[in-house]
Amino acid sequence: MTTPKSTITITDVAKAAGVSKSAVSYALNGKPGVSDDTRAKVLDVARAMGWRPNSAAKSLSDAHTRSIGVVLLVADAENFGSGAYEMDCLAGLSKVLDSRDYSITLRMSAGGAKAACRIHEDWIASGKVDAHLVLNVALGDPRMALFRSHPEAKALFVAPREISGGLPTLYSSDSDGSRLLVRHLHDLGHRTIARIAGPEEYAHTLVRDRGAADECARLGMRCTTLHGPYLASAGAQLCDTLLDFGERPTAIICDTDVTAVAALRTAAARGVRVPEDLSVISWDDSPSCLSTLPELTSLHCDVKAIGRKAGEMLLRLIDGESVEAEPEDPYTLMVRSSTAPVLVP
Amino acid sequence: MTTPKSTITITDVAKAAGVSKSAVSYALNGKPGVSDDTRAKVLDVARAMGWRPNSAAKSLSDAHTRSIGVVLLVADAENFGSGAYEMDCLAGLSKVLDSRDYSITLRMSAGGAKAACRIHEDWIASGKVDAHLVLNVALGDPRMALFRSHPEAKALFVAPREISGGLPTLYSSDSDGSRLLVRHLHDLGHRTIARIAGPEEYAHTLVRDRGAADECARLGMRCTTLHGPYLASAGAQLCDTLLDFGERPTAIICDTDVTAVAALRTAAARGVRVPEDLSVISWDDSPSCLSTLPELTSLHCDVKAIGRKAGEMLLRLIDGESVEAEPEDPYTLMVRSSTAPVLVP
DNA sequence: CTGAAAGCGCTTACAG
DNA sequence: CTGAAAGCGCTTACAG
């Protein structure tokens, strides 16, 4: 029946419906300029013939590619984590984009932010995408300079607002998250804590550092912070360091699930009981936080929601609306069994 | 200097270089039809002006969009796993595509394979992509029927060769993997084993079932297989069932890291020592296999290599070469501490 | 309301 | 080797 002939164009439809190409175009795009009768007939014929607008032709004539460009950094597998964050973010993004028939144009770059710049530049010059989404922004990230010098390009940064000044930004409340964790430990009676934080190149690491430091100062707590990549080996090593340290902390906050799981395991291997002797908290509430014994108290972030909100902001950007900095949803603390009141000696 | 004017077209370059548009096109595309001098001058001018071919225009005229369409299924978060597989696969794919200036056009569908079909159909009719990559293929997957009825569309399936008959396929050696695991346990003296397998809708689950059953039969071993989603809760429950079972197995093979970690934890909670009382093996050698105590013996698969090979096959498909079924690289067994010789009672 | 025409930026036979 | 011209499929002022 509807055997899709090689390619059906608007001309074929016009011929079949007995009208002009322009009438078909108006009808198909719901624009005025055709009578209701003509419109109905054209729609019927187009559907019957299985017509779909040719993507390239449409893009060329209306200057919209209907795609959002995303360059994922996979360079340093070390800092990349499992990719679960990016995946969830893309899932949320894709969901919002669907409604407007937008797709994601994806590249994965092993060359870091600089190589990503090259790709973005290419996309800008070739008109390959309508807007860019920038994730995993580092301090002094060249991608910020790039888009500052290309105001004609539309880009949204997911980054701490502290560093993306001026650029359209979806910013996290990493600082608030940090404070929330410190308060949770304070409520449990902890006074000497530590953090196994992420690499210092990351802007969000510094924001978390700041939040924790401020809240500790306010509450009169002591906090030792060690930085390292999001690797199990690093988490284990840093945990060892903290446990060997003179003034042993009664609680450790880990910046990611990978290091938290490693810390848990390191403690177990040394005979340090969690949560009796040591409380452990993880950022990134992921399935692995539920697979440990004890289950990990974790800071939950709805990453899909970030993707959705990013999608909405990007579409507004594309529609020519002005977009400034907007906040992500706040974090939620998932209290499980890896944190407990500190034992009075 | 090279201030990128709004948009630089081939016409601008032609004017600046004092030649015709066609000369510019020939020069830029390395085609014959221009003298070396003209070519050199055109290239210089184009570079100086920061010209890049307009993506849509090029696609429209040469019928190549330079993008590969991928629809990721996120419908049932239950069976989706962490998304790490998809991420690695895309990373490998992207790497190969880079060299030919191809991008990935990505959509994530929450409606399963049927909704994915709709997207692929749209891509076929609109000429949005040059070829399609199909992952996570289920038994009787409607996407196979779709591409069978659209021989004009180019698609590569990553699926067991048993089910994709005729279609271009990159097939895994799941059966061989299964056999490898069984042999490893046999070598350690295990004779009564069990499997916590994935959902039976998945073709690869059945292939693994078959491989394990055949090898067990050959070696005179007994194997109980339970199926369930790739969820920690399911892994825990199935592990409980197996341990409560009359004839308790001395080893369990889990189809994914999530269930393996859950099984490990369940054993620990019941006081069943791993590996002394029970050996545990995981498919999907992932970072989490290294975060457990003991570390998990696991079947390693170079997923990025799958992505790369898929990319090469897709490019050949696009180039008009014929592509049939080709095998992935074989699995590697990573022997760690969760498997040990069975203790003679 | 409707049709003929030009244009989006590039490629590619086709005559000079 | 080089230029003028038509065409890819769609959109959009512009005359009827």
Side-chain angles (χ1 to χ4, degrees):
Chain A
M1 303 288 103
T2 325
T3 326
K5 305 280 171 146
S6 51
T7 304
I8 294 156
T9 74
I10 210 182
T11 306
D12 300 323
V13 175
K15 213 165 291 177
V19 296
S20 73
K21 272 171 43 182
S22 33
V24 172
S25 178
Y26 290 137
L28 257 14
N29 290 307
K31 297 204 170 168
V34 280
S35 64
D36 291 350
D37 284 358
T38 306
R39 186 185 304 279
K41 192 204 297 173
V42 168
L43 288 177
D44 278 352
V45 172
R47 190 183 351 261
M49 298 178 78
W51 175 88
R52 297 280 174 90
N54 175 278
S55 164
K58 190 155 193 159
S59 296
L60 182 58
S61 64
D62 77 359
H64 280 292
T65 60
R66 269 154 291 271
S67 77
I68 303 289
V70 181
V71 181
L72 253 32
L73 268 34
V74 291
D76 37 332
E78 309 190 355
N79 295 331
F80 185 53
S82 62
Y85 172 88
E86 289 73 12
M87 210 57 164
D88 283 343
C89 192
L90 289 180
L93 175 64
S94 185
K95 178 160 191 181
V96 169
L97 263 34
D98 272 4
S99 58
R100 290 269 298 263
D101 199 36
Y102 266 74
S103 299
I104 297 166
T105 291
L106 180 72
R107 289 264 200 150
M108 308 194 59
S109 163
K114 280 191 73 173
C117 277
R118 209 125 324 125
I119 297 173
H120 282 115
E121 272 185 305
D122 186 74
W123 283 345
I124 294 172
S126 68
K128 175 97 182 168
V129 303
D130 292 346
H132 308 68
L133 175 61
V134 183
L135 304 174
N136 300 315
V137 181
L139 225 49
D141 199 302
R143 291 172 294 179
M144 295 189 290
L146 173 68
F147 283 105
R148 283 224 174 74
S149 68
H150 280 285
E152 80 278 16
K154 299 173 177 186
L156 175 70
F157 286 76
V158 177
R161 67 185 314 186
E162 286 85 348
I163 68 164
S164 65
L167 296 165
T169 302
L170 175 55
Y171 63 89
S172 65
S173 22
D174 279 78
S175 174
D176 294 339
S178 242
R179 288 166 175 278
L180 185 62
L181 296 181
V182 170
R183 272 202 303 282
H184 171 61
L185 292 175
H186 183 266
D187 290 348
L188 292 172
H190 295 271
R191 293 298 177 267
T192 303
I193 67 173
R195 295 179 54 241
I196 294 180
E200 292 183 277
E201 306 90 86
Y202 283 0
H204 70 256
T205 300
L206 300 189
V207 173
R208 292 178 186 185
D209 285 357
R210 172 77 66 90
D214 287 356
E215 196 69 6
C216 281
R218 195 176 74 76
L219 296 170
M221 296 166 67
R222 313 190 60 177
C223 181
T224 306
T225 299
L226 262 32
H227 298 89
Y230 292 155
L231 287 176
S233 56
Q237 188 203 309
L238 296 179
C239 182
D240 266 326
T241 303
L242 289 171
L243 293 178
D244 286 337
F245 197 51
E247 190 181 24
R248 180 184 282 196
T250 59
I252 298 180
I253 297 172
C254 297
D255 265 21
T256 186
D257 53 355
V258 176
T259 48
V261 171
L264 220 51
R265 178 192 142 155
T266 301
R270 296 175 59 127
V272 174
R273 296 167 305 159
V274 175
E276 294 83 352
D277 305 329
L278 180 72
S279 284
V280 175
I281 293 185
S282 166
W283 282 73
D284 300 341
D285 181 36
S286 74
S288 62
C289 294
L290 292 171
S291 333
T292 55
L293 204 60
E295 297 186 345
L296 276 163
T297 290
S298 186
L299 197 57
H300 182 81
C301 178
D302 188 346
V303 181
K304 266 195 186 168
I306 294 178
R308 285 197 300 271
K309 183 143 194 180
E312 286 157 10
M313 292 174 77
L314 284 162
L315 289 176
R316 274 191 278 139
L317 225 33
I318 290 171
D319 291 341
E321 299 175 31
S322 89
V323 174
E324 317 250 311
E326 297 184 19
E328 294 175 359
D329 292 339
Y331 288 95
T332 319
L333 181 62
M334 310 296 285
V335 178
R336 291 194 273 256
S337 344
S338 67
T339 48
V342 66
L343 294 179
V344 189
Chain B
M1 307 288 101
T2 326
T3 326
K5 303 281 170 147
S6 50
T7 305
I8 295 157
T9 74
I10 210 182
T11 308
D12 300 324
V13 176
K15 214 165 291 176
V19 295
S20 72
K21 273 170 43 181
S22 34
V24 173
S25 178
Y26 289 137
L28 258 12
N29 291 306
K31 297 202 172 171
V34 281
S35 63
D36 290 349
D37 285 356
T38 306
R39 186 186 305 279
K41 192 205 299 173
V42 168
L43 288 177
D44 277 351
V45 172
R47 190 183 351 261
M49 298 177 79
W51 174 88
R52 299 281 174 89
N54 175 279
S55 162
K58 189 155 193 159
S59 296
L60 182 58
S61 64
D62 77 358
H64 280 294
T65 62
R66 271 154 289 270
S67 78
I68 303 288
V70 181
V71 182
L72 253 31
L73 269 34
V74 290
D76 38 330
E78 309 190 355
N79 296 332
F80 185 52
S82 62
Y85 172 88
E86 288 75 10
M87 209 57 163
D88 284 343
C89 192
L90 289 180
L93 175 64
S94 185
K95 179 160 191 180
V96 169
L97 263 34
D98 272 3
S99 58
R100 288 271 298 263
D101 199 38
Y102 266 74
S103 299
I104 297 167
T105 291
L106 180 72
R107 289 264 200 151
M108 308 194 58
S109 163
K114 279 190 74 173
C117 278
R118 208 121 327 121
I119 297 173
H120 282 113
E121 273 185 304
D122 186 72
W123 283 345
I124 295 173
S126 68
K128 175 94 183 168
V129 302
D130 291 346
H132 310 67
L133 175 62
V134 183
L135 305 174
N136 299 317
V137 181
L139 225 50
D141 199 302
R143 291 173 294 180
M144 295 189 291
L146 173 67
F147 284 105
R148 284 224 174 74
S149 67
H150 281 284
E152 81 279 17
K154 299 174 177 186
L156 176 69
F157 286 76
V158 177
R161 67 185 316 186
E162 286 84 349
I163 68 166
S164 65
L167 296 164
T169 302
L170 176 55
Y171 63 90
S172 65
S173 23
D174 279 77
S175 175
D176 293 338
S178 240
R179 288 166 175 278
L180 185 61
L181 295 181
V182 169
R183 272 201 304 279
H184 171 61
L185 292 175
H186 183 266
D187 289 348
L188 292 172
H190 297 271
R191 293 297 177 267
T192 303
I193 68 174
R195 293 180 57 239
I196 295 181
E200 293 183 276
E201 305 92 84
Y202 283 179
H204 70 255
T205 299
L206 300 189
V207 173
R208 292 178 186 185
D209 286 357
R210 170 79 65 90
D214 286 356
E215 196 69 7
C216 281
R218 194 176 72 78
L219 296 170
M221 296 167 66
R222 314 191 57 178
C223 181
T224 307
T225 298
L226 263 30
H227 297 89
Y230 291 155
L231 288 175
S233 56
Q237 187 203 308
L238 296 180
C239 182
D240 265 326
T241 303
L242 289 171
L243 293 178
D244 287 338
F245 199 50
E247 187 179 26
R248 180 183 283 195
T250 60
I252 299 180
I253 297 172
C254 298
D255 265 20
T256 186
D257 52 355
V258 176
T259 48
V261 171
L264 220 50
R265 179 190 143 157
T266 301
R270 295 175 58 130
V272 174
R273 295 168 304 161
V274 175
E276 295 83 353
D277 305 330
L278 180 73
S279 284
V280 175
I281 293 185
S282 165
W283 283 72
D284 299 340
D285 182 35
S286 74
S288 62
C289 294
L290 292 172
S291 330
T292 54
L293 204 58
E295 296 187 346
L296 277 162
T297 289
S298 186
L299 197 57
H300 183 82
C301 177
D302 189 346
V303 181
K304 267 194 185 168
I306 294 178
R308 285 196 300 269
K309 183 143 194 179
E312 286 156 10
M313 293 174 76
L314 283 162
L315 289 176
R316 273 190 278 140
L317 226 32
I318 290 171
D319 290 341
E321 298 175 32
S322 89
V323 173
E324 318 250 310
E326 297 183 19
E328 294 175 2
D329 292 340
Y331 287 95
T332 319
L333 181 62
M334 310 296 285
V335 178
R336 291 193 272 257
S337 345
S338 67
T339 47
V342 68
L343 292 179
V344 189

CSV table of all heavy atoms in Angstrom, one decimal, chain A residues 265-283:
chain,number,residue,atom,x,y,z
A,265,ARG,N,35.0,0.2,51.5
A,265,ARG,CA,35.7,-1.0,51.4
A,265,ARG,C,37.1,-0.9,52.1
A,265,ARG,O,37.5,-1.9,52.8
A,265,ARG,CB,36.0,-1.3,49.9
A,265,ARG,CG,36.8,-2.5,49.7
A,265,ARG,CD,37.2,-2.5,48.2
A,265,ARG,NE,38.6,-3.1,48.2
A,265,ARG,CZ,39.1,-3.7,47.2
A,265,ARG,NH1,38.4,-3.8,46.1
A,265,ARG,NH2,40.3,-4.2,47.2
A,266,THR,N,37.7,0.2,52.0
A,266,THR,CA,39.0,0.4,52.7
A,266,THR,C,38.8,0.4,54.2
A,266,THR,O,39.6,-0.3,54.9
A,266,THR,CB,39.6,1.8,52.3
A,266,THR,OG1,39.7,1.9,50.9
A,266,THR,CG2,40.9,2.1,53.0
A,267,ALA,N,37.7,1.0,54.7
A,267,ALA,CA,37.4,1.0,56.1
A,267,ALA,C,37.2,-0.5,56.6
A,267,ALA,O,37.8,-0.9,57.6
A,267,ALA,CB,36.2,1.8,56.4
A,268,ALA,N,36.5,-1.2,55.8
A,268,ALA,CA,36.2,-2.6,56.2
A,268,ALA,C,37.5,-3.4,56.2
A,268,ALA,O,37.7,-4.2,57.2
A,268,ALA,CB,35.2,-3.2,55.2
A,269,ALA,N,38.3,-3.2,55.2
A,269,ALA,CA,39.6,-3.9,55.2
A,269,ALA,C,40.5,-3.6,56.4
A,269,ALA,O,41.3,-4.5,56.8
A,269,ALA,CB,40.3,-3.6,53.9
A,270,ARG,N,40.3,-2.5,56.9
A,270,ARG,CA,41.1,-2.1,58.1
A,270,ARG,C,40.4,-2.4,59.4
A,270,ARG,O,41.0,-2.1,60.5
A,270,ARG,CB,41.4,-0.6,58.0
A,270,ARG,CG,42.3,-0.2,56.8
A,270,ARG,CD,42.4,1.3,56.8
A,270,ARG,NE,43.0,1.9,58.0
A,270,ARG,CZ,44.1,2.7,58.0
A,270,ARG,NH1,44.7,3.0,56.9
A,270,ARG,NH2,44.6,3.1,59.1
A,271,GLY,N,39.2,-2.9,59.3
A,271,GLY,CA,38.5,-3.2,60.6
A,271,GLY,C,37.9,-2.0,61.2
A,271,GLY,O,37.4,-2.0,62.4
A,272,VAL,N,37.8,-1.0,60.4
A,272,VAL,CA,37.1,0.2,60.9
A,272,VAL,C,35.6,0.0,60.6
A,272,VAL,O,35.2,-0.1,59.4
A,272,VAL,CB,37.6,1.5,60.2
A,272,VAL,CG1,36.7,2.7,60.6
A,272,VAL,CG2,39.0,1.7,60.6
A,273,ARG,N,34.7,0.0,61.6
A,273,ARG,CA,33.3,-0.3,61.4
A,273,ARG,C,32.6,1.0,60.9
A,273,ARG,O,32.7,2.1,61.5
A,273,ARG,CB,32.7,-0.8,62.7
A,273,ARG,CG,33.2,-2.2,63.1
A,273,ARG,CD,32.8,-2.5,64.5
A,273,ARG,NE,33.1,-1.3,65.4
A,273,ARG,CZ,32.5,-1.1,66.6
A,273,ARG,NH1,31.6,-1.9,67.0
A,273,ARG,NH2,32.9,-0.1,67.4
A,274,VAL,N,31.7,0.8,59.9
A,274,VAL,CA,30.9,1.8,59.4
A,274,VAL,C,29.4,1.4,59.7
A,274,VAL,O,29.1,0.3,59.4
A,274,VAL,CB,31.0,2.1,57.9
A,274,VAL,CG1,30.0,3.1,57.4
A,274,VAL,CG2,32.5,2.5,57.6
A,275,PRO,N,28.6,2.2,60.4
A,275,PRO,CA,28.9,3.6,60.8
A,275,PRO,C,29.4,3.8,62.2
A,275,PRO,O,29.5,4.9,62.7
A,275,PRO,CB,27.5,4.2,60.7
A,275,PRO,CG,26.6,3.1,61.1
A,275,PRO,CD,27.2,1.8,60.7
A,276,GLU,N,29.6,2.7,63.0
A,276,GLU,CA,29.9,2.8,64.4
A,276,GLU,C,31.2,3.7,64.6
A,276,GLU,O,31.2,4.6,65.4
A,276,GLU,CB,30.1,1.4,65.1
A,276,GLU,CG,28.9,0.6,65.1
A,276,GLU,CD,28.6,-0.2,63.9
A,276,GLU,OE1,29.3,0.1,62.9
A,276,GLU,OE2,27.7,-1.0,63.8
A,277,ASP,N,32.3,3.3,63.9
A,277,ASP,CA,33.5,4.0,64.1
A,277,ASP,C,33.7,5.2,63.1
A,277,ASP,O,34.4,6.1,63.3
A,277,ASP,CB,34.7,3.1,63.8
A,277,ASP,CG,34.6,1.9,64.7
A,277,ASP,OD1,34.1,2.0,65.8
A,277,ASP,OD2,35.1,0.8,64.3
A,278,LEU,N,33.0,5.1,62.0
A,278,LEU,CA,33.2,6.1,60.9
A,278,LEU,C,31.9,6.2,60.1
A,278,LEU,O,31.3,5.2,59.7
A,278,LEU,CB,34.3,5.6,60.0
A,278,LEU,CG,34.6,6.5,58.8
A,278,LEU,CD1,35.4,7.8,59.3
A,278,LEU,CD2,35.5,5.8,57.8
A,279,SER,N,31.4,7.4,59.9
A,279,SER,CA,30.3,7.7,59.0
A,279,SER,C,30.8,8.0,57.6
A,279,SER,O,31.8,8.6,57.5
A,279,SER,CB,29.4,8.8,59.5
A,279,SER,OG,28.7,8.4,60.7
A,280,VAL,N,30.1,7.5,56.6
A,280,VAL,CA,30.5,7.8,55.2
A,280,VAL,C,29.3,8.3,54.4
A,280,VAL,O,28.2,7.8,54.5
A,280,VAL,CB,31.1,6.5,54.5
A,280,VAL,CG1,31.4,6.8,53.1
A,280,VAL,CG2,32.4,6.0,55.3
A,281,ILE,N,29.6,9.4,53.7
A,281,ILE,CA,28.5,9.9,52.9
A,281,ILE,C,29.0,10.0,51.4
A,281,ILE,O,30.2,10.3,51.2
A,281,ILE,CB,28.2,11.4,53.3
A,281,ILE,CG1,27.5,11.4,54.7
A,281,ILE,CG2,27.2,12.1,52.3
A,281,ILE,CD1,27.1,12.7,55.2
A,282,SER,N,28.1,9.8,50.5
A,282,SER,CA,28.4,10.0,49.1
A,282,SER,C,27.6,11.0,48.4
A,282,SER,O,26.4,11.2,48.7
A,282,SER,CB,28.1,8.6,48.4
A,282,SER,OG,28.1,8.7,47.0
A,283,TRP,N,28.2,11.8,47.5
A,283,TRP,CA,27.5,12.6,46.6
A,283,TRP,C,27.0,11.6,45.5
A,283,TRP,O,27.5,10.4,45.5
A,283,TRP,CB,28.4,13.6,45.9
A,283,TRP,CG,28.7,14.8,46.7
A,283,TRP,CD1,29.5,14.9,47.8
A,283,TRP,CD2,28.1,16.2,46.6
A,283,TRP,NE1,29.5,16.2,48.3
A,283,TRP,CE2,28.7,17.0,47.6
A,283,TRP,CE3,27.2,16.7,45.7
A,283,TRP,CZ2,28.4,18.3,47.7
A,283,TRP,CZ3,26.9,18.1,45.8
A,283,TRP,CH2,27.5,18.9,46.8
